[in-house]
């Protein structure tokens, strides 16, 4: 009867539309939805402590079912039998008896635990299951969830057991399980009762029966139609594996694509192509080609074509970019024949031999010497008898030891149920041990092969030039007898043999031996363990090892990284261990065993979180185990273990002044992360830029929880990174922590290079020498003749001050006379002076003569004065030149007037709040205002030093209503000449002319910036742009939550947006180019359509600008709007209390806080306080009540508002609003959202214990 139920569930599931129910791994955000439909008493009775947050975090696999965006099902399985319900009469005693019985009953029915020699992960235990009462067919949903548990669990389990009450049979999960044994009563009676504890089982073959594989025949023609229809429904280029593998080009690539145009691709055409391949394989010589099919109930669910013809040329295509040495170049071993020859008798014969025989003589001599050296003294007489003979060695090169896949197709949902295809393929080629698949980098991965095969690694530095992704599967990769156990001293020899051919083999082996010895000592002396060593063995041979360090400083990790985004165990210090060394034979390094090795070691160690610190000083992490310096080759530095790179999740680094500075990137593995198989993208993704937008895009792509980018490169032009908008040429010293946290480096997690753009060549646009644009989406060319081929390019170029080129001409660097004129960017000047030794610096700052002019009407020009003083420039020498007139209106008009610039607004606020003294410094000259730079020329100063003579056009403001936004126009009055030592530009930034010309010549549309659609795509869909260099097209409109977006040119420019948010949104769009079915819980608005997107994403974060004045005042402004003050559709709340000014602007329509301005005599964290911008004012209480607040800034700083400034509050709040839980304009609903957030993050917000008093 239960078998019929399972079959009926499968039939109903097959008939259900694919989009009705979506099953995926559980997330932290699912906990509240799951608990909303869990019937607590029933769940406790059946599964004991039904702790949903703990199950989501710690279960081997925890999955949810989602219907229409609503979570309707939950299922969790673990590696150990859970403790039954302890609420009975005898409480824990009764539960313990049941648990012991369950373990013995499992052993009795054939499930041997790992501790007694059973296979790791073969058996899982049900820890909990619940479904929503609204489901009409819960059995089918549970069947789907159970299938996903089998697929995602490490080690490829075969059964799930449940030790629970017999009432489980009335539930959906009980309908799938078979009762195996009943726990007897105290008198030994086995008679069933209404409520009896029992052992239940469901197997993989019951929930998802596997297909049977065989060779295809011509009689299969009609049966190909279903599979052919599925293949034809997707464009050949979009199929997994690309045109060649998924598009059925045939064995030699001449079958479908060459004879049939894409527009005629139909089920019949694909069906004929499949039949043609079968016919080709039947005509081919025996053992050279085969077409195999997987069949389930007379339906062909998968097809694969394989051949071993032309393997030498096939391997040569990628041998230059991939490291094939560990696989012996996919060749059979060289056959060596040793023949004993009498030396005296053979002299005459060898004199007539050719050069080939002469070449063999040294080899024979070496073998003879080794043989003599290996003999003991007692064998000396035996050796002497052979003095008149020698060994002649004959070497015969081995042939190819591999066959390759030429075509593959599978029906949806069958990727994990056709493993028998491998068995059939190896049976068809009994003399070949490797199955190899090669696909274009830009094509989608083939899940069937990437799940159970091993990726062939790239050679260091060849990522940009690799055109193929290569995976391989060995004949014995899934052999039985693979076990994981604690390492012993007897394993040292096996570990040493495993490390043969690797760098620092002996030191790594000594580190393993040291760890084993320490563990044995700690066990013998019963002291706390500080580490552990594990080995993986197959048929008694060591094929892998790893080392754990159990002393992990979790507090440092928490201060440096957002560990809380990856695991909720970060507060439990005893749950962590650090992976310090890892090695696994590449034959066995496919995902199930790769991650299963670490997961099983974690289980035995009693830990739940493994971390890996990745930095240049790591040297494979062995420093923790062996303090000796290791001689690692440069190409091996920053090389991640394969398990860490593919299965661990990279932690997001914390930024800001309070973040801990560390010299490593952090990777984390938990059970939840291990079950979340990431989609692998092999496409070459290049991010060009060095500002916050570029860094945010790289951070998003590198730390993505669902997608793994194999070939990600960051190229920083203009000399390095520009974090927080400040360029830094000495980044290795000042931003070493930033580099390490992001894993930047030539051989790091993210490739990193510094180069200036010379030319951009798009595919199909223009000609490229050597035909480079025939590959990928295009090529970017840099100085020093370097180039990078890309499949996707993200342009996050940083506009900079261009005063030098504006006054001296675009060809200033070509004219030797103009090149020496001292007009520089302020940022470059400060960076150069900071990097000088003290003597050189004194020549400029102390012994120099002449003024240092600072030109510009920006906040950067205001802050430049203090920075110049900090590097040693005397205040008497610093003169600000401001191309704006001074604002003279009274204080009462600040909140109602539109100022010329943010700098003018800041100066006015500081003057009204702190007085004129806060604007200046003793000895500092008054700024020169109301002049515009007209020209420059080199001049010799009075002391003989070279200088610059600057000509400024003076002007006055008239009241005529002409061109300016304030209703005034500039009237020229005269020219003023000023001689100076150097003039530093701090004006409004613009794109470098050479960069502009490169983009323009590439055919990209520019209109004051790179024009993009709502998905950040330029007119080339493979090229994206974001940040200060980009602006949205006039054709698009604001998306949901973008009420402040209009068609006004300034508001379309992204320089008014937060650069980091622009980078994140760009990366989010870029992910969708490669993974169209990615389920993003935080973004339901963006479309994956390849057409022009007419809607922008919602921008939630403000642009933050700040400046420190020479007199000690600090000002910052965070704004979502482009106006400086007095926005027509907003009203403001302003307070001045003592030496503190604060102003909020609130949109009259949306009731969102659009601007926060602050001025005071102390420096505050502007990024922290800016988080309030973009939130509804109702979170602060009634909007009218704010008018009665005396000190607005201190009001915002109250502990009861601290949740609003949490880094995750804004995203969580709007996610709650998007799900329809309340109206944020209502004060009660807004406060309820705060309360729920505080409940979920109470560990982050300890101050809320005292909120009642406020």
């Amino acid at each position: 009867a239960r078998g019929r139920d399972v079959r009926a569930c499968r039939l109903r599931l097959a008939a259900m539309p694919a989009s009705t129910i979506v099953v995926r791994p559980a997330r932290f955000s699912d906990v509240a939805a799951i608990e909303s439909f869990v019937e607590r008493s029933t769940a406790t009775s059946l599964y004991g402590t039904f702790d949903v947050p703990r199950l989501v975090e710690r279960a081997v696999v925890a999955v949810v079912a989602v219907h229409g965006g609503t979570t309707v099902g939950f299922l969790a399985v673990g590696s150990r039998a859970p403790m039954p319900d302890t609420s009975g009469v005898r409480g824990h005693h009764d539960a313990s008896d049941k648990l012991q019985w369950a373990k013995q009953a499992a052993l009795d029915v054939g499930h041997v635990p790992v501790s007694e020699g059973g296979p790791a992960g073969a058996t899982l235990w049900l820890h909990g299951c619940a479904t929503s009462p609204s489901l009409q067919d819960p059995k089918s949903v549970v069947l789907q969830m159970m299938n996903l548990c089998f697929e995602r669990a490490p080690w490829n389990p075969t059964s799930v057991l449940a030790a629970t009450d017999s009432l489980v049979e009335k539930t959906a999960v009980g309908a799938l399980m078979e009762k195996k044994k009943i726990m007897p009563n105290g008198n030994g009676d086995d008679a069933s009762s209404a409520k009896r504890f029992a052992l239940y089982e469901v197997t993989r073959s019951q929930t998802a029966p596997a297909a049977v594989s065989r060779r295809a025949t011509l009689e299969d023609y009609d049966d190909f139609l279903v599979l052919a229809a599925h293949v034809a429904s997707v464009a050949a280029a979009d199929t997994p594996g690309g045109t060649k593998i998924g598009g059925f080009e045939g064995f030699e690539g001449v079958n479908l694509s060459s004879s049939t145009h894409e527009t005629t691709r139909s089920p019949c055409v694909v069906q004929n192509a499949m039949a043609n391949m079968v016919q080709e394989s039947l005509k081919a010589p025996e053992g050279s080609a085969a077409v195999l099919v997987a069949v389930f109930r007379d339906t062909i669910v998968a097809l694969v074509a394989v051949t071993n013809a032309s393997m030498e040329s096939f391997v040569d295509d990628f041998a230059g970019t991939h490291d094939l040495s560990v696989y012996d170049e996919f060749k059979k071993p060289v056959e060596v024949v040793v023949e004993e020859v009498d030396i005296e008798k053979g002299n005459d014969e060898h004199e007539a031999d050719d050069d080939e025989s002469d070449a063999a003589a040294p080899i024979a001599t070496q073998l003879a010497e080794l043989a003599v050296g290996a003999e003991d003294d007692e064998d000396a007489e035996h050796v002497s008898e052979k003095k008149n003979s020698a060994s002649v060695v004959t070497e015969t090169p081995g042939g190819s030891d591999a066959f390759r896949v030429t075509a593959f197709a599978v029906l949806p949902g069958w990727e994990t149920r056709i493993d028998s295809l491998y068995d059939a393929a190896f049976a068809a080629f009994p003399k070949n041990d490797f199955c190899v698949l090669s696909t274009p980098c830009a094509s989608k991965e083939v899940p069937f092969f990437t799940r159970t095969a091993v990726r062939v690694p790239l050679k260091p530095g060849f990522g940009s030039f690799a055109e193929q992704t290569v995976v391989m599967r060995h004949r014995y990769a899934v052999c039985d007898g693979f076990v994981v156990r604690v390492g012993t001293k007897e394993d040292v020899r096996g570990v040493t043999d495993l490390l043969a051919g690797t760098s620092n083999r002996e030191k790594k082996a000594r580190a393993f031996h040291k760890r084993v010895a320490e563990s044995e000592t700690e066990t013998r002396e019963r002291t706390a363990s500080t580490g552990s060593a594990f080995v993986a063995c197959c048929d008694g041979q060591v094929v892998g090892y790893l080392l754990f360090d159990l002393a992990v400083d979790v507090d440092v990790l928490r201060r440096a990284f957002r560990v809380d985004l990856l695991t909720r165990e970060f507060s439990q210090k005893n749950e962590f261990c650090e992976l310090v060394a890892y090695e696994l034979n590449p034959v066995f390094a496919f995902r199930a065993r790769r991650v299963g090795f670490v997961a099983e070691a974690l289980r035995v160690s009693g830990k739940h979180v493994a971390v890996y610190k990745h930095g240049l000083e790591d040297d494979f992490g062995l420093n923790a185990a062996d303090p000796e310096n290791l001689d690692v080759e440069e190409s091996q530095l920053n090389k991640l273990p394969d398990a860490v790179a593919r299965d661990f999740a990279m932690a997001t680094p914390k930024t800001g002044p309070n973040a801990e500075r560390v010299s490593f990137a952090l990777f984390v593995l938990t059970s939840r992360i291990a079950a979340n198989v990431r989609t692998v993208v092999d496409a070459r993704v290049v991010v060009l830029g060095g500002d916050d937008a570029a860094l945010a895009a790289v951070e998003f792509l590198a730390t993505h929880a669902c997608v793994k980018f194999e070939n990600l490169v960051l190229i920083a032009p203009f000399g390095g990174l520009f974090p927080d908008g400040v360029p830094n040429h000495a980044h290795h010293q000042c931003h070493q922590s930033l580099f390490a946290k992001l894993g930047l480096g030539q051989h790091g997690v993210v490739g990193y290079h510094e180069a200036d753009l010379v030319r951009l060549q798009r595919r199909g646009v223009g000609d490229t020498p050597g035909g480079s644009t025939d590959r990928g989406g295009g090529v970017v060319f840099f100085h020093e003749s370097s180039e990078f081929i890309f499949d996707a390019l993200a342009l996050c170029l940083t506009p900079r001050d261009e005063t030098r080129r504006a006054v001296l001409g675009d060809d200033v660097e070509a004219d030797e006379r103009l090149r020496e004129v001292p007009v520089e960017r302020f940022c470059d000047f400060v960076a150069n002076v900071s990097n000088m030794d003290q003597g050189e610096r004194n020549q400029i700052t102390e012994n120099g003569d002449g003024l240092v002019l600072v030109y510009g009407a920006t906040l950067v020009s205001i802050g430049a004065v203090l920075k110049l003083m900090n590097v040693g420039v005397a205040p008497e020498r610093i003169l600000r030149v401001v191309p704006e007139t001074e604002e003279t209106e009274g204080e009462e008009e600040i909140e109602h007037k539109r100022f010329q610039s943010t700098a003018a607004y800041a100066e006015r606020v500081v003057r009204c709040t702190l007085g004129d003294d806060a604007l200046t410094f003793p000895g500092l000259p008054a700024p020169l205002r109301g002049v515009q730079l007209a020209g420059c020329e080199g001049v010799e100063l009075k002391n003989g030093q070279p200088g610059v003579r600057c000509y400024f056009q003076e002007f006055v403001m008239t009241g005529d209503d002409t061109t300016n936004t304030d209703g005034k126009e500039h009237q020229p009055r005269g020219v003023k000449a000023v001689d100076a030592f150097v003039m530093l530009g701090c004006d409004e930034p613009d794109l470098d002319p050479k960069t502009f010309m490169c983009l323009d010549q590439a055919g990209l549309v520019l209109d004051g910036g790179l024009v993009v659609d709502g998905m950040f795509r330029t007119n080339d869909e493979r090229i994206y742009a974001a940040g200060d260099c980009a602006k949205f097209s006039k054709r698009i409109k604001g998306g949901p939550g973008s009420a402040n977006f209009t068609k006004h040119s300034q508001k379309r420019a992204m320089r008014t947006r937060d650069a980091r948010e622009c980078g994140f949104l760009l990366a989010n769009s870029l992910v969708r180019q490669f993974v169209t079915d990615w389920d993003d819980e935080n973004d339901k608005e963006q479309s994956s359509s390849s057409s022009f997107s007419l809607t922008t994403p919602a921008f939630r974060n403000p642009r933050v600008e700040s400046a420190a004045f020479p007199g000690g005042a600090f000002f910052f402004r965070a704004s979502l709007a482009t106006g400086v003050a007095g926005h027509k559709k907003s009203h403001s709340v302003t307070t001045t209390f003592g030496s503190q000014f604060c102003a909020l602007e609130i949109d009259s329509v949306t009731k969102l806080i659009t601007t926060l301005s602050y001025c005071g005599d102390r420096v505050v964290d502007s990024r922290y306080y800016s988080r309030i911008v973009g939130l509804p004012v109702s979170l602060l209480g009634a909007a009218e009540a704010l008018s009665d607040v005396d000190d607005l800034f201190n009001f915002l700083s109250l502990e009861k508002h601290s949740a609003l400034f949490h880094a995750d509050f804004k995203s969580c709040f709007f996610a709650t609003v998007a799900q329809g839980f309340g109206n944020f304009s209502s004060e009660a609903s807004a406060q309820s959202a705060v309360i729920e957030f505080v409940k979920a993050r109470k560990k982050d917000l300890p101050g809320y214990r005292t909120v009642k008093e406020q």
Side-chain angles (χ1 to χ4, degrees), residues 24 96 283 344 347 374 383 496 549 688 861 1094 1127 1139 1189:
R24 58 167 174 78
S96 297
K283 293 179 180 179
E344 295 180 356
N347 279 341
V383 173
T496 305
D549 182 1
L688 181 58
S861 67
L1094 296 175
H1127 188 44
S1139 60
V1189 175

Side-chain angles (χ1 to χ4, degrees), residues 1029-1247:
C1029 70
K1031 67 188 304 183
F1032 290 109
S1033 169
K1034 297 177 182 178
R1035 292 191 290 162
I1036 66 175
K1037 59 184 178 179
S1042 300
N1044 61 326
F1045 186 87
T1046 69
K1047 291 187 176 181
H1048 192 280
S1049 178
Q1050 277 189 323
K1051 296 185 180 183
R1052 289 189 292 109
M1054 285 188 217
R1055 64 180 58 186
T1056 63
R1057 312 284 180 179
D1058 177 58
R1060 285 186 60 81
E1061 186 174 24
C1062 289
F1064 283 133
L1065 292 173
L1066 175 145
N1068 185 43
S1069 296
L1070 197 148
V1071 168
R1072 293 180 178 278
Q1073 174 180 333
F1074 301 103
V1075 187
T1076 56
D1077 57 349
W1078 166 45
D1079 175 30
D1080 182 10
E1081 60 178 330
N1082 296 320
D1083 180 22
K1084 302 295 184 185
E1085 299 164 1
Q1086 287 205 10
S1087 168
S1088 60
S1089 173
S1090 60
S1091 60
F1092 189 89
S1093 177
L1094 296 175
T1095 305
T1096 64
F1099 287 86
R1100 305 290 188 191
N1101 299 331
R1103 180 87 168 195
V1104 182
E1105 300 174 282
S1106 63
F1109 284 76
F1114 179 76
F1115 170 87
F1116 83 82
R1117 183 173 181 275
S1119 177
L1120 286 176
T1122 56
V1124 175
H1127 188 44
K1128 293 182 180 180
K1129 293 184 179 180
S1130 66
H1131 68 276
S1132 61
V1133 179
T1134 304
T1135 63
T1136 302
F1137 189 85
S1139 60
Q1140 212 160 240
F1141 167 90
C1142 186
L1144 287 179
E1145 286 192 25
I1146 303 164
D1147 191 285
S1148 302
V1149 178
T1150 63
K1151 304 301 180 183
L1152 295 177
I1153 299 172
T1154 59
T1155 305
L1156 169 64
S1157 301
Y1158 166 84
C1159 168
D1161 56 1
R1162 62 189 179 96
V1163 178
V1164 298
D1165 188 349
S1166 58
R1167 286 284 180 184
Y1168 173 82
Y1169 285 100
S1170 69
R1171 293 170 183 166
I1172 193 70
V1173 179
L1175 291 173
V1177 69
S1178 55
L1179 291 168
L1180 298 175
E1184 298 76 11
L1186 291 177
S1187 303
D1188 300 329
V1189 175
D1190 295 329
D1191 189 344
L1192 185 56
F1193 191 77
N1194 281 343
F1195 175 74
L1196 296 176
S1197 303
L1198 291 176
E1199 194 69 50
K1200 68 177 181 178
H1201 295 145
S1202 59
L1204 309 183
F1205 300 99
H1206 191 281
D1208 298 332
F1209 177 79
K1210 187 178 295 183
S1211 59
C1212 292
F1213 176 81
F1214 283 106
T1216 302
V1217 172
Q1219 294 172 5
F1221 297 110
N1223 179 10
F1224 69 75
S1225 60
S1226 165
E1227 182 181 350
S1229 297
Q1231 291 297 333
S1232 298
V1234 177
I1235 292 172
E1236 293 302 318
F1237 182 81
V1238 172
K1239 288 180 180 179
R1241 302 299 180 92
K1242 57 185 178 182
K1243 295 179 181 178
D1244 297 346
L1245 302 164

Side-chain angles (χ1 to χ4, degrees), residues 824-843:
E824 301 183 34
R825 296 184 182 94
F826 159 74
C827 52
D828 292 341
F829 178 82
V830 172
N832 292 333
V833 173
S834 300
N835 291 333
M836 293 178 180
D837 57 40
Q838 193 61 42
E840 292 178 321
R841 186 184 300 181
N842 291 340
Q843 290 292 329

Side-chain angles (χ1 to χ4, degrees), residues 156-383:
N156 198 22
T158 58
S159 301
V160 171
L161 301 180
T164 182
D165 197 283
S166 58
L167 292 178
V168 75
E169 298 175 19
K170 298 181 180 180
T171 65
V173 68
L176 302 179
M177 308 191 84
E178 178 185 356
K179 185 185 294 183
K180 305 297 291 185
K181 201 167 185 179
I182 302 175
M183 183 177 179
N185 290 328
N187 57 8
D189 183 14
D190 284 339
S192 60
S193 64
K195 188 176 180 181
R196 180 68 61 82
F197 196 77
L199 181 71
Y200 298 84
E201 180 185 21
V202 60
T203 63
R204 178 191 289 264
S205 60
Q206 288 177 321
T207 63
V212 178
S213 297
R214 59 171 173 80
R215 284 201 179 218
T217 65
L218 293 177
E219 287 74 16
D220 293 323
Y221 178 82
D222 291 337
D223 297 329
F224 285 149
L225 185 58
V226 175
L227 184 60
H230 167 68
V231 173
S233 65
V234 183
D238 293 334
T239 55
T243 303
K244 189 170 184 179
I245 300 300
F248 288 89
E249 291 185 348
F251 286 104
E252 300 300 331
V254 295
N255 199 13
L256 176 62
S257 299
S258 61
S259 60
T260 308
H261 194 268
E262 180 66 29
T263 56
T264 64
R265 183 181 174 89
S266 65
C268 291
V269 172
V270 178
Q271 184 182 21
N272 290 334
M274 293 178 175
N276 289 339
M277 285 194 300
V278 175
Q279 189 174 11
E280 289 179 25
S281 67
L282 297 176
K283 293 179 180 179
E286 182 68 23
S288 63
V291 176
L292 309 169
V293 291
V295 183
F296 181 75
R297 293 183 180 176
D298 299 329
T299 300
I300 295 179
V301 297
L303 176 146
V304 61
V306 288
T307 180
N308 60 7
S310 306
M311 283 302 299
E312 290 77 8
S313 61
F314 171 75
V315 173
D316 289 343
D317 289 342
F318 52 82
T321 55
H322 291 72
D323 185 7
L324 306 181
S325 58
V326 292
Y327 309 108
D328 297 325
E329 311 292 335
F330 297 126
K331 294 181 180 179
K332 295 179 180 179
V334 175
E335 296 182 6
V336 180
V337 178
V338 181
E339 182 181 0
E340 295 293 336
V341 179
D342 187 286
I343 295 178
E344 295 180 356
K345 183 178 180 180
N347 279 341
D348 296 337
E349 298 177 1
H350 286 292
E351 288 177 0
D353 283 350
D354 55 13
D355 294 340
E356 183 174 302
S357 299
D358 293 336
I363 300 177
T365 304
Q366 293 174 14
L367 290 175
E369 290 176 353
L370 291 174
V372 172
E375 297 292 343
D376 295 329
D377 294 338
E378 62 183 7
D379 295 329
E381 182 178 352
H382 177 71
V383 173

Side-chain angles (χ1 to χ4, degrees), residues 7-50:
R7 288 193 294 273
C9 286
R10 286 200 297 269
L11 292 174
R12 285 193 296 268
L13 185 60
M16 185 180 298
S19 59
T20 302
I21 298 292
V22 176
V23 179
R24 58 167 174 78
R27 302 165 178 159
F28 296 142
S29 57
D30 297 321
V31 171
I34 295 170
E35 291 182 332
S36 67
F37 60 76
V38 171
E39 209 289 305
R40 183 57 56 182
S41 60
T42 301
T44 303
S45 174
L46 294 177
Y47 309 112
T49 305
F50 197 84

Side-chain angles (χ1 to χ4, degrees), residues 715-745:
I715 302 176
F718 314 133
L721 301 181
F722 289 68
D724 299 322
V726 179
N728 178 49
H729 297 270
H731 52 79
H732 287 293
Q733 290 77 29
C734 300
H735 292 283
Q736 182 179 4
S737 180
L738 173 64
F739 266 66
K741 286 182 178 181
L742 286 176
L744 300 179

Side-chain angles (χ1 to χ4, degrees), residues 263-596:
T263 56
T264 64
R265 183 181 174 89
S266 65
C268 291
V269 172
V270 178
Q271 184 182 21
N272 290 334
M274 293 178 175
N276 289 339
M277 285 194 300
V278 175
Q279 189 174 11
E280 289 179 25
S281 67
L282 297 176
K283 293 179 180 179
E286 182 68 23
S288 63
V291 176
L292 309 169
V293 291
V295 183
F296 181 75
R297 293 183 180 176
D298 299 329
T299 300
I300 295 179
V301 297
L303 176 146
V304 61
V306 288
T307 180
N308 60 7
S310 306
M311 283 302 299
E312 290 77 8
S313 61
F314 171 75
V315 173
D316 289 343
D317 289 342
F318 52 82
T321 55
H322 291 72
D323 185 7
L324 306 181
S325 58
V326 292
Y327 309 108
D328 297 325
E329 311 292 335
F330 297 126
K331 294 181 180 179
K332 295 179 180 179
V334 175
E335 296 182 6
V336 180
V337 178
V338 181
E339 182 181 0
E340 295 293 336
V341 179
D342 187 286
I343 295 178
E344 295 180 356
K345 183 178 180 180
N347 279 341
D348 296 337
E349 298 177 1
H350 286 292
E351 288 177 0
D353 283 350
D354 55 13
D355 294 340
E356 183 174 302
S357 299
D358 293 336
I363 300 177
T365 304
Q366 293 174 14
L367 290 175
E369 290 176 353
L370 291 174
V372 172
E375 297 292 343
D376 295 329
D377 294 338
E378 62 183 7
D379 295 329
E381 182 178 352
H382 177 71
V383 173
S384 62
E385 294 177 357
K386 295 187 177 182
K387 287 182 179 180
N388 294 328
S389 65
S391 298
V392 177
V393 179
T394 304
E395 296 185 357
T396 304
S400 174
D401 196 22
F403 58 90
R404 71 182 191 273
V405 176
T406 62
F408 175 78
V410 61
L411 291 179
W414 284 91
E415 289 86 353
T416 61
R417 301 160 63 181
I418 53 174
D419 286 348
S420 58
L421 281 175
Y422 280 121
D423 299 331
F426 283 112
F429 299 95
K431 296 182 179 180
N432 301 125
D433 287 339
F434 292 96
C435 175
V436 183
L437 171 69
S438 173
T439 60
C441 287
S443 66
K444 296 180 180 179
E445 68 170 338
V446 184
F448 170 65
F449 291 98
T450 56
R451 185 179 66 90
T452 56
V454 180
R455 287 175 172 266
V456 178
L458 291 168
K459 293 180 179 178
F462 281 83
S464 176
F465 305 99
E467 300 179 22
Q468 301 290 321
T469 298
V470 184
V471 298
M472 77 88 197
R473 166 79 176 257
H474 193 271
R475 178 183 296 273
Y476 302 112
V478 198
C479 62
D480 297 330
F482 192 93
V483 297
V484 176
R485 58 175 174 78
V486 177
T488 64
K489 290 182 178 179
E490 288 72 21
D491 297 319
V492 174
R493 181 58 183 270
V495 171
T496 305
D497 294 340
L498 172 69
L499 295 170
T502 63
S503 58
N504 299 284
R505 169 191 180 188
E506 297 298 330
K507 291 185 178 180
K508 294 177 183 178
R510 286 203 304 271
F512 175 81
H513 182 268
K514 180 180 178 181
R515 180 68 268 165
V516 169
E518 290 176 353
S519 298
E520 292 180 355
T521 301
E522 291 163 352
T523 302
R524 186 169 55 255
E525 298 178 357
R526 297 183 178 180
T527 58
S529 178
T530 59
S532 54
F534 292 87
V535 294
C537 300
C538 186
D539 292 334
Q541 181 181 357
V542 175
V543 296
Y545 85 100
L546 63 81
L547 302 180
F548 278 157
D549 182 1
L550 304 183
V552 181
D553 191 345
V554 180
D555 293 333
V556 172
L557 304 182
R558 188 169 49 202
R559 292 193 298 267
F561 299 92
R562 292 297 310 275
V563 185
D564 58 303
L565 298 179
L566 298 177
T567 173
R568 296 301 167 90
E569 304 281 0
F570 67 93
S571 60
Q572 306 293 328
K573 298 182 180 181
N574 60 340
E575 302 292 348
F576 280 71
C577 66
E578 179 184 351
L579 179 67
V580 295
Y582 179 95
E583 197 78 38
L584 184 63
N585 189 311
V587 168
F588 304 98
F590 59 93
R591 185 189 176 277
R593 287 185 171 171
R594 187 177 62 227
V595 70

